[in-house]
Amino acid sequence: MLDNRVADLLEDRTGNLWIATQRGLSCFDGIVFRNFTTEDGLPSNRIRCLFEDSRGHLWLGTDGGVVHYDGLLFQTIKSPHIGPVLQILEDRDGTFWFGTALGSLVRYRLRQIPPIVRLIQVVVDQVYENLEEVIVSTTDQQVIFEYKGLSFSTHPSDMLYVYRLEGYDSDWQPATREMRVYYRDLPSGDYTFQVRAVDRDLNYSQMAQVQISVEPDPRIKELTAVLNSQGSNEFIGHSAALREFQIKLIEVASADLTVLILGETGVGKGVAARVLHALSAHSDGPFIQVNCGALPESLIDSELFGHEKGAFTSAISRRLGKVELAIGGTLFLDEIGDMALETQARLLQLLEEGTFERVGGSETLKSQTRIVAATNRNLKEMVSAGAFREDLYYRLNAFPMYLPPLRERKEDISDLAEFFKSRLVAHLGKQIDRLSSEVIEVLQNFHWPGNVRELEHTMQRAVIACQGSQIEVGDLGLYGSRIEDEAPDHKLDHDRKIMPWDEFERRYILEVLKVTNWQIKGARGAAALLKLPSSTLYGKMRKLGIRRPPVRVTFGLLGLNTTL
Protein backbone atom coordinates (compact mmCIF):
# COMPACT_ATOMS: atom_id res chain seq x y z
CA MET A 1 0.00 0.00 0.00
CA LEU A 2 1.02 3.59 -0.59
CA ASP A 3 0.08 4.75 2.91
CA ASN A 4 -1.41 3.35 6.11
CA ARG A 5 -3.71 6.36 6.60
CA VAL A 6 -6.86 4.96 4.99
CA ALA A 7 -9.77 7.30 4.29
CA ASP A 8 -12.17 4.88 2.55
CA LEU A 9 -12.52 1.29 1.29
CA LEU A 10 -14.52 -0.16 -1.61
CA GLU A 11 -14.97 -3.65 -3.02
CA ASP A 12 -16.01 -3.42 -6.68
CA ARG A 13 -18.28 -5.86 -8.52
CA THR A 14 -15.29 -7.89 -9.77
CA GLY A 15 -13.92 -8.43 -6.25
CA ASN A 16 -11.08 -5.91 -6.34
CA LEU A 17 -10.46 -3.98 -3.12
CA TRP A 18 -9.86 -0.25 -3.59
CA ILE A 19 -8.13 1.68 -0.80
CA ALA A 20 -8.18 5.48 -0.56
CA THR A 21 -5.15 6.90 1.25
CA GLN A 22 -3.51 10.27 1.78
CA ARG A 23 -0.73 9.39 -0.66
CA GLY A 24 -2.73 7.90 -3.51
CA LEU A 25 -5.03 5.06 -4.52
CA SER A 26 -4.27 1.35 -4.03
CA CYS A 27 -6.01 -1.67 -5.56
CA PHE A 28 -5.68 -5.23 -4.21
CA ASP A 29 -6.89 -8.12 -6.41
CA GLY A 30 -6.18 -10.79 -3.79
CA ILE A 31 -2.61 -11.34 -5.00
CA VAL A 32 -0.83 -8.05 -5.63
CA PHE A 33 -1.28 -4.35 -4.96
CA ARG A 34 -1.44 -1.77 -7.76
CA ASN A 35 -0.91 1.87 -6.88
CA PHE A 36 -2.06 5.06 -8.63
CA THR A 37 -0.84 8.62 -8.03
CA THR A 38 -0.74 11.98 -9.79
CA GLU A 39 1.76 10.42 -12.23
CA ASP A 40 -1.11 8.22 -13.45
CA GLY A 41 -3.52 11.13 -13.96
CA LEU A 42 -4.91 11.84 -10.48
CA PRO A 43 -5.28 15.58 -9.69
CA SER A 44 -4.29 15.00 -6.06
CA ASN A 45 -2.81 12.12 -4.09
CA ARG A 46 -5.13 12.74 -1.13
CA ILE A 47 -8.19 10.53 -1.73
CA ARG A 48 -11.21 11.31 0.49
CA CYS A 49 -13.88 8.84 -0.70
CA LEU A 50 -14.65 6.07 -3.21
CA PHE A 51 -17.80 5.16 -5.15
CA GLU A 52 -18.76 2.62 -7.84
CA ASP A 53 -21.53 3.69 -10.23
CA SER A 54 -24.19 1.62 -11.98
CA ARG A 55 -21.90 1.00 -14.95
CA GLY A 56 -19.07 -0.35 -12.80
CA HIS A 57 -16.99 2.81 -13.15
CA LEU A 58 -14.98 4.03 -10.17
CA TRP A 59 -15.39 7.58 -8.78
CA LEU A 60 -12.88 9.22 -6.45
CA GLY A 61 -13.37 12.26 -4.26
CA THR A 62 -9.98 13.99 -3.95
CA ASP A 63 -8.59 17.30 -2.74
CA GLY A 64 -8.30 18.24 -6.42
CA GLY A 65 -11.89 17.42 -7.37
CA VAL A 66 -13.83 14.43 -8.67
CA VAL A 67 -12.11 11.73 -10.69
CA HIS A 68 -13.89 9.29 -13.01
CA TYR A 69 -12.13 5.97 -13.83
CA ASP A 70 -13.33 3.43 -16.43
CA GLY A 71 -10.55 0.89 -15.85
CA LEU A 72 -8.31 2.53 -18.42
CA LEU A 73 -8.18 6.28 -17.88
CA PHE A 74 -8.50 8.67 -14.95
CA GLN A 75 -10.40 11.81 -16.01
CA THR A 76 -10.93 14.79 -13.71
CA ILE A 77 -14.19 16.74 -13.74
CA LYS A 78 -13.17 20.38 -13.35
CA SER A 79 -15.44 23.08 -11.97
CA PRO A 80 -14.91 26.19 -9.82
CA HIS A 81 -17.75 24.88 -7.59
CA ILE A 82 -15.97 21.59 -6.82
CA GLY A 83 -13.25 21.63 -4.18
CA PRO A 84 -12.22 18.69 -1.99
CA VAL A 85 -14.98 16.07 -2.33
CA LEU A 86 -15.98 14.10 0.79
CA GLN A 87 -18.85 11.99 -0.51
CA ILE A 88 -20.31 10.81 -3.85
CA LEU A 89 -23.77 9.41 -4.58
CA GLU A 90 -25.64 8.32 -7.75
CA ASP A 91 -29.44 8.52 -7.53
CA ARG A 92 -31.94 6.28 -9.34
CA ASP A 93 -32.14 8.75 -12.27
CA GLY A 94 -28.38 8.50 -12.90
CA THR A 95 -27.64 11.93 -11.47
CA PHE A 96 -24.50 12.29 -9.35
CA TRP A 97 -24.26 14.29 -6.13
CA PHE A 98 -20.95 15.52 -4.71
CA GLY A 99 -20.63 16.62 -1.10
CA THR A 100 -17.68 18.99 -0.83
CA ALA A 101 -15.51 20.34 1.98
CA LEU A 102 -16.60 23.84 0.93
CA GLY A 103 -19.99 23.18 2.49
CA SER A 104 -21.79 22.81 -0.84
CA LEU A 105 -23.74 20.07 -2.57
CA VAL A 106 -23.00 19.76 -6.30
CA ARG A 107 -25.37 18.07 -8.75
CA TYR A 108 -23.75 16.54 -11.82
CA ARG A 109 -25.31 14.86 -14.87
CA LEU A 110 -23.28 12.74 -17.30
CA ARG A 111 -23.50 13.57 -20.99
CA GLN A 112 -23.76 10.71 -23.45
CA ILE A 113 -22.75 12.61 -26.60
CA PRO A 114 -19.23 11.54 -27.59
CA PRO A 115 -16.68 14.16 -28.62
CA ILE A 116 -15.10 14.37 -32.04
CA VAL A 117 -11.43 14.72 -32.88
CA ARG A 118 -9.79 16.00 -36.02
CA LEU A 119 -6.21 16.08 -37.19
CA ILE A 120 -5.20 19.67 -37.90
CA GLN A 121 -1.86 19.24 -39.63
CA VAL A 122 1.31 17.19 -39.90
CA VAL A 123 4.67 18.96 -39.90
CA VAL A 124 7.74 17.38 -41.49
CA ASP A 125 9.94 19.30 -43.95
CA GLN A 126 6.75 21.19 -44.80
CA VAL A 127 3.31 21.67 -43.28
CA TYR A 128 0.66 19.26 -44.55
CA GLU A 129 -2.89 20.50 -44.04
CA ASN A 130 -4.50 18.28 -46.68
CA LEU A 131 -4.36 15.04 -44.72
CA GLU A 132 -6.11 12.94 -47.34
CA GLU A 133 -2.86 12.57 -49.27
CA VAL A 134 -0.07 10.28 -48.13
CA ILE A 135 2.50 12.35 -46.28
CA VAL A 136 6.16 11.68 -47.05
CA SER A 137 8.96 12.19 -44.54
CA THR A 138 12.62 11.16 -44.33
CA THR A 139 14.40 8.99 -41.80
CA ASP A 140 16.28 11.84 -40.14
CA GLN A 141 13.36 14.21 -39.62
CA GLN A 142 11.10 15.01 -36.72
CA VAL A 143 7.42 14.38 -37.46
CA ILE A 144 4.77 16.37 -35.59
CA PHE A 145 1.09 15.41 -35.51
CA GLU A 146 -1.30 18.14 -34.33
CA TYR A 147 -4.94 17.43 -33.43
CA LYS A 148 -7.85 18.91 -31.49
CA GLY A 149 -10.93 17.49 -29.78
CA LEU A 150 -14.36 19.12 -29.82
CA SER A 151 -17.05 18.51 -27.19
CA PHE A 152 -20.22 20.14 -25.83
CA SER A 153 -19.04 19.59 -22.26
CA THR A 154 -15.24 19.71 -22.22
CA HIS A 155 -12.68 22.30 -23.31
CA PRO A 156 -10.13 20.88 -25.81
CA SER A 157 -7.26 21.42 -23.34
CA ASP A 158 -9.16 19.50 -20.62
CA MET A 159 -9.75 16.46 -22.80
CA LEU A 160 -7.56 13.40 -22.76
CA TYR A 161 -6.06 12.07 -25.97
CA VAL A 162 -4.86 8.55 -26.65
CA TYR A 163 -2.80 7.86 -29.76
CA ARG A 164 -0.55 5.38 -31.48
CA LEU A 165 1.58 5.17 -34.60
CA GLU A 166 0.71 1.85 -36.21
CA GLY A 167 3.85 0.15 -37.43
CA TYR A 168 5.94 1.79 -34.69
CA ASP A 169 4.06 1.81 -31.36
CA SER A 170 3.19 -1.64 -30.04
CA ASP A 171 0.05 -0.30 -28.32
CA TRP A 172 -1.91 2.86 -27.58
CA GLN A 173 0.27 5.35 -25.76
CA PRO A 174 -0.57 6.72 -22.27
CA ALA A 175 -3.24 9.41 -22.23
CA THR A 176 -2.09 13.00 -22.56
CA ARG A 177 -3.66 16.45 -22.55
CA GLU A 178 -1.12 17.67 -25.13
CA MET A 179 -2.58 18.36 -28.56
CA ARG A 180 0.57 17.48 -30.47
CA VAL A 181 2.83 14.44 -30.63
CA TYR A 182 6.46 14.23 -31.75
CA TYR A 183 8.27 11.32 -33.40
CA ARG A 184 11.90 11.40 -34.51
CA ASP A 185 14.23 9.10 -36.45
CA LEU A 186 11.47 6.79 -37.66
CA PRO A 187 12.80 3.83 -39.66
CA SER A 188 11.86 3.58 -43.31
CA GLY A 189 8.35 2.24 -43.85
CA ASP A 190 4.64 3.04 -43.96
CA TYR A 191 2.80 4.14 -40.81
CA THR A 192 -0.69 5.22 -39.76
CA PHE A 193 -1.12 7.75 -36.97
CA GLN A 194 -4.35 7.28 -34.99
CA VAL A 195 -5.81 9.47 -32.23
CA ARG A 196 -8.99 9.50 -30.09
CA ALA A 197 -10.31 12.21 -27.79
CA VAL A 198 -11.87 11.43 -24.39
CA ASP A 199 -14.14 14.01 -22.73
CA ARG A 200 -14.63 14.57 -18.99
CA ASP A 201 -17.40 11.93 -18.88
CA LEU A 202 -15.09 9.32 -20.42
CA ASN A 203 -16.90 9.31 -23.74
CA TYR A 204 -14.47 8.25 -26.49
CA SER A 205 -14.49 9.85 -29.93
CA GLN A 206 -14.24 8.01 -33.20
CA MET A 207 -10.67 7.53 -34.37
CA ALA A 208 -8.99 10.10 -36.64
CA GLN A 209 -6.05 8.87 -38.66
CA VAL A 210 -3.54 9.81 -41.33
CA GLN A 211 -1.00 7.82 -43.31
CA ILE A 212 2.67 8.70 -43.49
CA SER A 213 5.47 7.14 -45.53
CA VAL A 214 9.05 7.43 -44.27
CA GLU A 215 11.80 7.11 -46.86
CA PRO A 216 15.60 7.20 -46.65
CA ASP A 217 16.85 10.78 -46.90
CA PRO A 218 17.71 11.35 -50.59
CA ARG A 219 20.34 13.87 -49.54
CA ILE A 220 22.29 11.13 -47.75
CA LYS A 221 22.01 8.97 -50.88
CA GLU A 222 23.29 11.86 -52.95
CA LEU A 223 26.16 12.41 -50.54
CA THR A 224 27.10 8.74 -50.62
CA ALA A 225 27.08 8.76 -54.42
CA VAL A 226 29.37 11.78 -54.49
CA LEU A 227 31.79 10.21 -52.03
CA ASN A 228 31.84 6.94 -53.92
CA SER A 229 32.48 8.70 -57.21
CA GLN A 230 35.47 10.41 -55.61
CA GLY A 231 36.81 7.16 -54.20
CA SER A 232 36.62 8.67 -50.72
CA ASN A 233 35.75 6.81 -47.56
CA GLU A 234 36.13 9.28 -44.72
CA PHE A 235 32.38 9.46 -44.12
CA ILE A 236 31.72 5.76 -43.63
CA GLY A 237 29.69 5.25 -40.46
CA HIS A 238 26.26 5.68 -38.97
CA SER A 239 26.76 7.80 -35.84
CA ALA A 240 24.35 10.63 -35.07
CA ALA A 241 27.23 13.14 -34.99
CA LEU A 242 28.39 12.16 -38.48
CA ARG A 243 24.85 12.15 -39.89
CA GLU A 244 24.19 15.65 -38.49
CA PHE A 245 27.36 16.91 -40.17
CA GLN A 246 26.39 15.26 -43.46
CA ILE A 247 22.96 16.88 -43.50
CA LYS A 248 24.35 20.35 -42.77
CA LEU A 249 27.04 19.84 -45.38
CA ILE A 250 24.50 19.06 -48.08
CA GLU A 251 22.19 21.89 -47.10
CA VAL A 252 24.89 24.55 -47.16
CA ALA A 253 26.33 23.22 -50.43
CA SER A 254 23.55 24.83 -52.45
CA ALA A 255 24.01 28.22 -50.74
CA ASP A 256 26.83 30.35 -52.15
CA LEU A 257 28.39 31.03 -48.76
CA THR A 258 31.94 30.98 -47.52
CA VAL A 259 32.30 27.91 -45.30
CA LEU A 260 34.83 27.30 -42.54
CA ILE A 261 35.39 23.62 -41.68
CA LEU A 262 36.79 23.05 -38.20
CA GLY A 263 38.25 19.80 -36.99
CA GLU A 264 41.36 17.94 -35.95
CA THR A 265 43.97 16.57 -38.32
CA GLY A 266 42.81 13.49 -40.20
CA VAL A 267 39.05 13.83 -39.67
CA GLY A 268 38.30 14.40 -43.37
CA LYS A 269 38.07 18.18 -43.82
CA GLY A 270 39.40 17.87 -47.37
CA VAL A 271 36.73 15.31 -48.23
CA ALA A 272 34.06 17.62 -46.82
CA ALA A 273 35.32 20.45 -49.02
CA ARG A 274 35.21 18.24 -52.13
CA VAL A 275 31.66 17.19 -51.29
CA LEU A 276 30.62 20.85 -50.92
CA HIS A 277 32.04 21.51 -54.38
CA ALA A 278 30.44 18.45 -55.97
CA LEU A 279 27.00 19.31 -54.64
CA SER A 280 27.16 23.04 -55.36
CA ALA A 281 26.28 25.15 -58.38
CA HIS A 282 30.05 25.33 -59.03
CA SER A 283 30.39 21.57 -59.53
CA ASP A 284 31.12 21.94 -63.26
CA GLY A 285 34.04 24.24 -62.43
CA PRO A 286 37.47 23.32 -61.05
CA PHE A 287 38.23 22.31 -57.47
CA ILE A 288 41.54 23.92 -56.49
CA GLN A 289 43.18 23.09 -53.18
CA VAL A 290 45.92 25.11 -51.47
CA ASN A 291 47.66 23.96 -48.31
CA CYS A 292 48.47 27.24 -46.61
CA GLY A 293 50.74 25.56 -44.10
CA ALA A 294 52.92 23.90 -46.74
CA LEU A 295 53.96 27.13 -48.52
CA PRO A 296 56.61 29.57 -47.29
CA GLU A 297 55.42 33.13 -46.62
CA SER A 298 57.46 34.43 -49.56
CA LEU A 299 55.55 32.27 -52.05
CA ILE A 300 51.99 32.06 -50.78
CA ASP A 301 50.89 35.39 -52.28
CA SER A 302 52.17 34.35 -55.67
CA GLU A 303 50.64 30.87 -55.32
CA LEU A 304 47.23 32.27 -54.47
CA PHE A 305 46.98 35.43 -56.57
CA GLY A 306 49.58 34.86 -59.30
CA HIS A 307 52.27 37.31 -60.39
CA GLU A 308 53.27 39.47 -63.32
CA LYS A 309 56.52 39.09 -65.23
CA GLY A 310 59.31 40.80 -63.30
CA ALA A 311 57.38 41.02 -60.04
CA PHE A 312 60.41 39.47 -58.31
CA THR A 313 63.74 37.99 -59.30
CA SER A 314 62.52 34.55 -60.43
CA ALA A 315 59.31 35.82 -62.07
CA ILE A 316 60.40 35.36 -65.69
CA SER A 317 56.82 35.23 -66.98
CA ARG A 318 53.26 35.90 -65.92
CA ARG A 319 51.77 33.16 -63.76
CA LEU A 320 48.10 32.67 -62.88
CA GLY A 321 47.35 32.01 -59.23
CA LYS A 322 45.00 29.50 -57.66
CA VAL A 323 42.29 32.15 -57.29
CA GLU A 324 42.23 32.72 -61.06
CA LEU A 325 42.44 29.01 -61.82
CA ALA A 326 39.45 28.37 -59.55
CA ILE A 327 37.15 30.89 -61.26
CA GLY A 328 33.73 29.26 -61.73
CA GLY A 329 34.64 26.59 -59.19
CA THR A 330 35.77 26.18 -55.59
CA LEU A 331 38.99 27.31 -53.91
CA PHE A 332 39.79 25.21 -50.84
CA LEU A 333 42.19 26.88 -48.41
CA ASP A 334 43.40 24.12 -46.12
CA GLU A 335 45.11 24.99 -42.81
CA ILE A 336 44.15 28.65 -43.19
CA GLY A 337 45.36 29.29 -39.65
CA ASP A 338 48.93 29.10 -41.01
CA MET A 339 48.41 31.93 -43.51
CA ALA A 340 50.66 34.98 -43.15
CA LEU A 341 49.05 38.24 -41.92
CA GLU A 342 49.90 40.11 -45.15
CA THR A 343 48.22 37.44 -47.24
CA GLN A 344 45.22 37.51 -44.90
CA ALA A 345 44.64 41.16 -45.84
CA ARG A 346 44.55 40.28 -49.54
CA LEU A 347 42.23 37.36 -48.86
CA LEU A 348 39.87 39.66 -46.96
CA GLN A 349 39.65 41.90 -50.05
CA LEU A 350 38.82 38.84 -52.15
CA LEU A 351 36.03 37.78 -49.77
CA GLU A 352 34.51 41.24 -49.29
CA GLU A 353 34.84 42.72 -52.79
CA GLY A 354 35.39 39.69 -55.01
CA THR A 355 38.50 41.35 -56.47
CA PHE A 356 42.26 40.78 -56.34
CA GLU A 357 45.52 41.84 -58.04
CA ARG A 358 48.41 39.68 -59.16
CA VAL A 359 51.68 40.24 -57.33
CA GLY A 360 53.50 43.07 -59.14
CA GLY A 361 50.39 44.02 -61.11
CA SER A 362 48.06 47.02 -61.01
CA GLU A 363 45.03 45.55 -62.78
CA THR A 364 42.07 44.74 -60.51
CA LEU A 365 40.64 41.37 -61.45
CA LYS A 366 37.26 39.93 -60.51
CA SER A 367 36.76 36.48 -59.10
CA GLN A 368 33.61 34.32 -59.10
CA THR A 369 34.98 31.61 -56.87
CA ARG A 370 33.51 29.93 -53.83
CA ILE A 371 35.89 29.93 -50.88
CA VAL A 372 35.99 26.97 -48.49
CA ALA A 373 38.53 27.14 -45.67
CA ALA A 374 39.61 24.61 -43.08
CA THR A 375 41.76 24.56 -39.98
CA ASN A 376 42.61 22.42 -36.97
CA ARG A 377 43.56 25.51 -34.95
CA ASN A 378 41.51 27.76 -32.67
CA LEU A 379 41.22 30.91 -34.78
CA LYS A 380 39.57 32.91 -32.01
CA GLU A 381 42.54 32.36 -29.73
CA MET A 382 44.83 33.33 -32.61
CA VAL A 383 42.85 36.57 -33.02
CA SER A 384 43.39 37.35 -29.33
CA ALA A 385 47.09 36.64 -29.73
CA GLY A 386 47.34 38.89 -32.82
CA ALA A 387 48.24 35.98 -35.11
CA PHE A 388 45.04 36.14 -37.17
CA ARG A 389 43.06 39.13 -38.42
CA GLU A 390 39.84 39.68 -36.52
CA ASP A 391 37.95 41.02 -39.56
CA LEU A 392 38.98 38.00 -41.63
CA TYR A 393 37.98 35.67 -38.81
CA TYR A 394 34.44 37.04 -38.69
CA ARG A 395 34.21 36.99 -42.50
CA LEU A 396 35.23 33.33 -42.62
CA ASN A 397 33.10 32.42 -39.62
CA ALA A 398 29.84 33.21 -41.45
CA PHE A 399 29.07 29.48 -41.59
CA PRO A 400 31.42 27.34 -39.49
CA MET A 401 31.04 23.56 -39.46
CA TYR A 402 32.65 21.22 -36.95
CA LEU A 403 33.65 17.75 -38.10
CA PRO A 404 33.89 15.61 -34.94
CA PRO A 405 37.01 13.55 -34.22
CA LEU A 406 36.84 9.78 -34.31
CA ARG A 407 36.78 9.46 -30.52
CA GLU A 408 33.47 11.39 -30.47
CA ARG A 409 31.82 8.96 -32.89
CA LYS A 410 32.99 5.55 -31.71
CA GLU A 411 30.00 3.93 -33.42
CA ASP A 412 31.74 4.53 -36.78
CA ILE A 413 35.03 2.82 -35.88
CA SER A 414 33.90 -0.75 -36.56
CA ASP A 415 32.46 0.17 -40.00
CA LEU A 416 35.57 2.13 -40.97
CA ALA A 417 37.95 -0.57 -39.77
CA GLU A 418 36.07 -3.28 -41.66
CA PHE A 419 36.08 -1.14 -44.81
CA PHE A 420 39.81 -0.43 -44.68
CA LYS A 421 40.55 -4.09 -43.97
CA SER A 422 38.36 -5.37 -46.81
CA ARG A 423 39.82 -2.95 -49.35
CA LEU A 424 43.43 -3.97 -48.69
CA VAL A 425 42.52 -7.67 -48.41
CA ALA A 426 41.05 -7.52 -51.92
CA HIS A 427 44.16 -5.78 -53.20
CA LEU A 428 46.55 -8.32 -51.63
CA GLY A 429 44.41 -11.37 -52.42
CA LYS A 430 44.27 -12.48 -48.77
CA GLN A 431 41.40 -14.29 -47.04
CA ILE A 432 40.67 -12.62 -43.68
CA ASP A 433 37.47 -13.03 -41.67
CA ARG A 434 35.43 -10.21 -40.14
CA LEU A 435 37.02 -8.43 -37.20
CA SER A 436 36.46 -10.08 -33.83
CA SER A 437 34.63 -8.32 -30.98
CA GLU A 438 37.92 -8.21 -29.05
CA VAL A 439 39.70 -6.35 -31.86
CA ILE A 440 36.79 -3.93 -32.29
CA GLU A 441 36.78 -3.23 -28.54
CA VAL A 442 40.49 -2.37 -28.65
CA LEU A 443 39.94 -0.11 -31.66
CA GLN A 444 37.02 1.67 -29.99
CA ASN A 445 39.02 2.22 -26.79
CA PHE A 446 42.00 3.77 -28.58
CA HIS A 447 42.37 7.58 -28.53
CA TRP A 448 43.05 8.01 -32.31
CA PRO A 449 44.96 11.33 -32.24
CA GLY A 450 45.35 10.97 -36.02
CA ASN A 451 41.65 10.20 -36.45
CA VAL A 452 40.38 8.37 -39.57
CA ARG A 453 43.71 8.64 -41.35
CA GLU A 454 45.49 6.92 -38.47
CA LEU A 455 42.82 4.19 -38.33
CA GLU A 456 43.32 3.52 -42.04
CA HIS A 457 47.10 3.14 -41.60
CA THR A 458 46.55 0.91 -38.56
CA MET A 459 44.29 -1.46 -40.52
CA GLN A 460 46.74 -1.55 -43.43
CA ARG A 461 49.49 -2.55 -41.01
CA ALA A 462 47.26 -5.16 -39.37
CA VAL A 463 46.32 -6.79 -42.70
CA ILE A 464 49.97 -7.04 -43.72
CA ALA A 465 51.02 -8.40 -40.29
CA CYS A 466 48.17 -10.93 -40.09
CA GLN A 467 49.43 -14.50 -40.57
CA GLY A 468 46.13 -16.35 -40.46
CA SER A 469 42.47 -15.84 -41.29
CA GLN A 470 41.77 -13.59 -38.29
CA ILE A 471 43.38 -10.29 -37.31
CA GLU A 472 44.62 -10.49 -33.72
CA VAL A 473 44.97 -7.64 -31.23
CA GLY A 474 48.75 -7.91 -31.53
CA ASP A 475 48.57 -7.23 -35.28
CA LEU A 476 47.16 -3.75 -34.60
CA GLY A 477 50.31 -2.44 -32.93
CA LEU A 478 48.36 -0.25 -30.50
CA TYR A 479 50.10 -1.33 -27.30
CA GLY A 480 49.70 0.92 -24.28
CA SER A 481 47.68 3.64 -26.01
CA ARG A 482 44.20 3.77 -24.54
CA ILE A 483 41.59 6.45 -24.93
CA GLU A 484 41.36 8.95 -22.10
CA ASP A 485 38.12 9.85 -20.40
CA GLU A 486 38.13 13.41 -21.67
CA ALA A 487 39.17 15.10 -24.88
CA PRO A 488 42.39 17.19 -24.92
CA ASP A 489 42.32 20.75 -23.60
CA HIS A 490 42.89 22.16 -27.08
CA LYS A 491 39.67 20.66 -28.45
CA LEU A 492 37.65 23.21 -30.40
CA ASP A 493 34.79 24.68 -28.41
CA HIS A 494 32.44 24.30 -31.37
CA ASP A 495 29.24 24.48 -29.31
CA ARG A 496 30.10 28.06 -28.48
CA LYS A 497 31.26 29.02 -31.95
CA ILE A 498 28.76 27.52 -34.31
CA MET A 499 25.46 29.32 -34.92
CA PRO A 500 22.43 27.05 -34.36
CA TRP A 501 21.14 25.75 -37.68
CA ASP A 502 17.63 27.17 -37.22
CA GLU A 503 19.08 30.64 -36.64
CA PHE A 504 21.30 30.40 -39.70
CA GLU A 505 18.38 29.19 -41.85
CA ARG A 506 16.17 32.00 -40.53
CA ARG A 507 18.77 34.67 -41.36
CA TYR A 508 19.44 33.25 -44.80
CA ILE A 509 15.74 33.09 -45.71
CA LEU A 510 15.33 36.68 -44.50
CA GLU A 511 18.18 37.80 -46.78
CA VAL A 512 16.60 36.09 -49.78
CA LEU A 513 13.21 37.65 -48.96
CA LYS A 514 14.79 41.09 -48.82
CA VAL A 515 16.43 40.54 -52.22
CA THR A 516 13.08 39.52 -53.75
CA ASN A 517 11.19 42.31 -51.95
CA TRP A 518 9.23 39.62 -50.07
CA GLN A 519 7.89 38.08 -53.27
CA ILE A 520 7.60 34.34 -52.59
CA LYS A 521 5.95 32.81 -55.65
CA GLY A 522 6.84 33.21 -59.31
CA ALA A 523 10.03 32.91 -61.36
CA ARG A 524 11.66 35.78 -59.46
CA GLY A 525 10.29 34.84 -56.06
CA ALA A 526 12.21 33.63 -53.02
CA ALA A 527 10.96 30.04 -53.40
CA ALA A 528 12.44 29.81 -56.90
CA LEU A 529 15.78 31.26 -55.73
CA LEU A 530 15.91 28.76 -52.88
CA LYS A 531 14.76 25.96 -55.20
CA LEU A 532 11.90 25.10 -52.84
CA PRO A 533 8.16 24.65 -53.40
CA SER A 534 6.37 27.75 -52.19
CA SER A 535 4.40 25.64 -49.68
CA THR A 536 7.67 24.40 -48.16
CA LEU A 537 8.97 27.94 -47.85
CA TYR A 538 5.74 29.10 -46.20
CA GLY A 539 6.07 26.20 -43.75
CA LYS A 540 9.67 27.13 -42.92
CA MET A 541 8.67 30.76 -42.39
CA ARG A 542 5.94 29.73 -39.95
CA LYS A 543 8.31 27.41 -38.12
CA LEU A 544 11.07 30.02 -37.87
CA GLY A 545 8.72 32.89 -36.96
CA ILE A 546 9.43 34.92 -40.12
CA ARG A 547 6.80 37.58 -40.81
CA ARG A 548 6.84 40.38 -43.34
CA PRO A 549 7.45 43.72 -41.59
CA PRO A 550 4.71 46.34 -41.95
CA VAL A 551 5.07 48.63 -44.96
CA ARG A 552 4.84 52.34 -44.25
CA VAL A 553 3.14 54.28 -47.03
CA THR A 554 3.20 58.08 -47.29
CA PHE A 555 0.57 59.97 -49.22
CA GLY A 556 2.56 63.04 -50.15
CA LEU A 557 -0.27 65.37 -51.23
CA LEU A 558 -2.28 64.83 -48.08
CA GLY A 559 0.67 64.44 -45.73
CA LEU A 560 -0.79 61.23 -44.36
CA ASN A 561 1.10 58.15 -43.14
CA THR A 562 -0.30 54.70 -42.77
CA THR A 563 1.06 51.21 -42.04
CA LEU A 564 0.03 48.26 -44.17
Side-chain angles (χ1 to χ4, degrees), residues 73-92:
L73 301 178
F74 290 99
Q75 177 64 293
T76 301
I77 299 174
K78 294 184 178 181
S79 169
H81 307 292
I82 302 177
V85 174
L86 306 179
Q87 193 167 359
I88 302 172
L89 176 69
E90 181 186 14
D91 65 23
R92 65 185 63 185

Side-chain angles (χ1 to χ4, degrees), residues 172-353:
W172 291 90
Q173 298 304 291
T176 178
R177 296 194 190 278
E178 296 294 327
M179 289 184 282
R180 58 170 54 189
V181 174
Y182 302 82
Y183 286 89
R184 187 167 182 82
D185 294 329
L186 291 171
S188 300
D190 295 324
Y191 304 91
T192 301
F193 178 76
Q194 301 171 331
V195 61
R196 299 179 73 183
V198 186
D199 67 14
R200 69 181 184 182
D201 296 326
L202 290 178
N203 295 308
Y204 288 70
S205 72
Q206 293 292 319
M207 188 168 58
Q209 63 182 27
V210 63
Q211 292 182 321
I212 180 169
S213 180
V214 178
E215 301 174 350
D217 194 328
R219 297 172 298 177
I220 292 291
K221 287 171 123 183
E222 188 178 1
L223 176 64
T224 304
V226 169
L227 293 173
N228 290 341
S229 67
Q230 295 172 345
S232 178
N233 45 60
E234 299 280 353
F235 287 162
I236 289 175
H238 59 275
S239 66
L242 180 61
R243 185 170 62 181
E244 181 181 356
F245 180 83
Q246 289 174 317
I247 294 297
K248 290 183 178 180
L249 189 69
I250 298 165
E251 290 176 338
V252 76
S254 60
D256 196 13
L257 296 174
T258 299
V259 176
L260 176 63
I261 304 172
L262 306 170
E264 298 177 6
T265 299
V267 293
K269 299 188 294 293
V271 174
R274 288 193 294 273
V275 172
L276 274 174
H277 170 72
L279 297 178
S280 72
H282 303 278
S283 59
D284 292 335
F287 177 84
I288 305 296
Q289 179 171 347
V290 178
N291 189 329
C292 302
L295 294 171
E297 291 186 15
S298 57
L299 293 180
I300 192 168
D301 272 10
S302 172
E303 184 73 17
L304 279 176
F305 303 104
H307 61 252
E308 298 288 355
K309 180 180 180 181
F312 45 87
T313 305
S314 58
I316 58 175
S317 63
R318 172 188 285 179
R319 181 184 177 186
L320 302 184
K322 302 296 189 185
V323 172
E324 254 178 292
L325 295 174
I327 286 179
T330 300
L331 178 64
F332 175 46
L333 302 176
D334 198 9
E335 304 304 339
I336 198 170
D338 297 328
M339 182 179 284
L341 285 170
E342 183 179 346
T343 306
Q344 290 177 28
R346 300 185 64 151
L347 178 60
L348 182 64
Q349 177 189 345
L350 177 68
L351 291 173
E352 291 187 337
E353 303 174 12

Side-chain angles (χ1 to χ4, degrees), residues 403-466:
L403 184 52
L406 199 53
R407 63 178 172 275
E408 290 183 11
R409 45 188 182 99
K410 290 184 180 180
E411 309 97 305
D412 298 335
I413 290 177
S414 59
D415 292 339
L416 282 163
E418 193 66 45
F419 175 83
F420 292 139
K421 182 215 74 176
S422 299
R423 187 172 63 178
L424 190 59
V425 162
H427 179 72
L428 297 177
K430 282 191 169 185
Q431 295 291 328
I432 297 180
D433 297 336
R434 289 189 64 84
L435 299 175
S436 66
S437 58
E438 183 182 10
V439 168
I440 290 175
E441 182 180 3
V442 170
L443 293 173
Q444 289 181 329
N445 286 331
F446 187 67
H447 187 73
W448 299 114
N451 290 292
V452 178
R453 189 179 302 148
E454 183 181 8
L455 175 60
E456 180 179 12
H457 295 163
T458 297
M459 294 312 300
Q460 290 174 348
R461 181 172 61 245
V463 170
I464 294 171
C466 178

Side-chain angles (χ1 to χ4, degrees), residues 91-105:
D91 65 23
R92 65 185 63 185
D93 295 325
T95 299
F96 288 84
W97 300 84
F98 307 142
T100 77
L102 301 177
S104 61
L105 182 64

